[in-house]
Amino acid sequence: ETVEATQVCISEFVLFVVGEVCDRLKSEGRKIIRGEDILWSLRELGMELYHPPLASFMSALREADKADDASAAQAEDDP
């Protein structure tokens, strides 16, 4: 029962945040949600405490992706 209650809470939280993002996307005529949209939504909804750790995580993830892409490109260039 605890697991189910947790899942419901998490689902409601995600719907709350994404709902705010969807309103923004409609007003801007966009269809794709970006990470920056989620961060914007958290700030707009008064959840500023979540912004710094998520922004750091997104930055680290992008750097790791760049490093992976560079490694893959290097591997293709090596005979």
Side-chain angles (χ1 to χ4, degrees), residues 22-41:
C22 286
D23 291 344
R24 179 183 187 188
L25 293 181
K26 284 180 189 176
S27 71
E28 294 178 0
R30 296 191 293 132
K31 294 182 180 181
I32 298 173
I33 296 175
R34 300 183 307 235
E36 290 79 15
D37 296 320
I38 300 296
L39 294 175
W40 171 86
S41 178

Side-chain angles (χ1 to χ4, degrees), residues 9-71:
C9 287
I10 291 170
S11 294
E12 289 294 324
F13 175 77
V14 169
L15 288 172
F16 184 57
V17 172
V18 172
E20 187 74 17
V21 171
C22 286
D23 291 344
R24 179 183 187 188
L25 293 181
K26 284 180 189 176
S27 71
E28 294 178 0
R30 296 191 293 132
K31 294 182 180 181
I32 298 173
I33 296 175
R34 300 183 307 235
E36 290 79 15
D37 296 320
I38 300 296
L39 294 175
W40 171 86
S41 178
L42 291 171
R43 284 191 311 268
E44 287 294 306
L45 295 169
M47 300 178 204
E48 294 87 7
L49 292 176
Y50 293 104
H51 184 273
L54 288 174
S56 294
F57 175 76
M58 284 177 46
S59 177
L61 187 61
R62 286 186 179 130
E63 290 300 316
D65 284 346
K66 286 179 187 176
D68 287 346
D69 290 346
S71 293

